[in-house]
Amino acid sequence: MQNSNIMDTHPLSGAFLSNKLLRLVETIADQGEVLLASDGIQIPPRAISTVLMIGETKDVTAADIAGALDQPHQLATQRVALLIELGLVTKRPHATDSRRKVLELTAEGQAQYARIMDMLGHIRAAMDALYEELGCNLADMAVKAVDALNDRPLIARIGK
């Protein structure tokens, strides 16, 4: 992926925030994949939050994960299917509602979960150092930006 593109130098560059943020997300995901692989972690970067929920939440389902992570159900289901294929997660019927399929970490999934928890501590420290370098906590600013746009959408900011 390129460090920049034509939208960075275009006279209306400020209107292309989503393009820049998508590049940032892709850069972090790509570098995260290399980092995780270097430590023997098989969990795909975009499935880490799913593994965390399965590891930390009793009787969790794909629907629970989708709701908690504000993701489409289909995306949560695809990530769960990948984790099952990797041998990290299994499904079992819920104790009182057989329609619900509870997700659990396998023995290998539990080992991967322990590794990712350790790695996330290192990643957080690296991100904190990046925020210090930039003079801005990007994670906090992203949340503030979403809140601000939800409170006052772009159409209201333009005056239409």
Side-chain angles (χ1 to χ4, degrees):
M1 177 172 293
Q2 301 181 124
N3 288 338
S4 64
N5 68 29
I6 193 168
M7 293 302 111
D8 294 336
T9 57
H10 191 278
L12 297 172
S13 175
F16 296 98
L17 177 61
S18 61
N19 178 279
K20 295 168 187 176
L21 292 176
L22 284 171
R23 286 198 334 256
L24 175 61
V25 167
E26 291 298 323
T27 299
I28 292 169
D30 290 349
Q31 291 183 10
E33 193 170 343
V34 171
L35 176 64
L36 298 179
S38 75
D39 197 42
I41 296 172
Q42 300 171 333
I43 304 165
R46 291 190 168 115
I48 290 173
S49 55
T50 300
V51 171
L52 289 181
M53 283 206 59
I54 295 168
E56 296 175 356
T57 309
K58 183 176 169 55
D59 292 338
V60 71
T61 66
D64 298 331
I65 292 169
L69 297 177
D70 194 26
Q71 296 175 340
H73 187 269
Q74 182 180 3
L75 179 60
T77 301
Q78 289 171 348
R79 289 193 176 148
V80 167
L82 175 60
L83 294 168
I84 289 171
E85 185 179 316
L86 291 171
L88 304 176
V89 171
T90 61
K91 285 184 189 180
R92 68 166 170 77
H94 189 275
T96 59
D97 184 353
S98 61
R99 295 171 297 168
R100 293 172 47 96
K101 301 298 179 212
V102 174
L103 304 170
E104 296 178 324
L105 296 174
T106 63
E108 179 59 24
Q110 290 172 1
Q112 289 285 306
Y113 174 82
R115 290 181 93 131
I116 198 64
M117 292 304 289
D118 181 58
M119 179 58 75
L120 286 173
H122 296 296
I123 293 171
R124 174 155 185 190
M127 295 307 286
D128 286 345
L130 175 63
Y131 302 156
E132 182 70 28
E133 180 182 328
L134 299 174
C136 169
N137 183 315
L138 290 175
D140 289 348
M141 293 307 291
V143 170
K144 287 179 184 178
V146 168
D147 289 344
L149 287 168
N150 282 331
D151 289 344
R152 189 167 165 235
L154 284 176
I155 196 162
R157 293 170 186 274
I158 292 172
K160 294 208 173 221

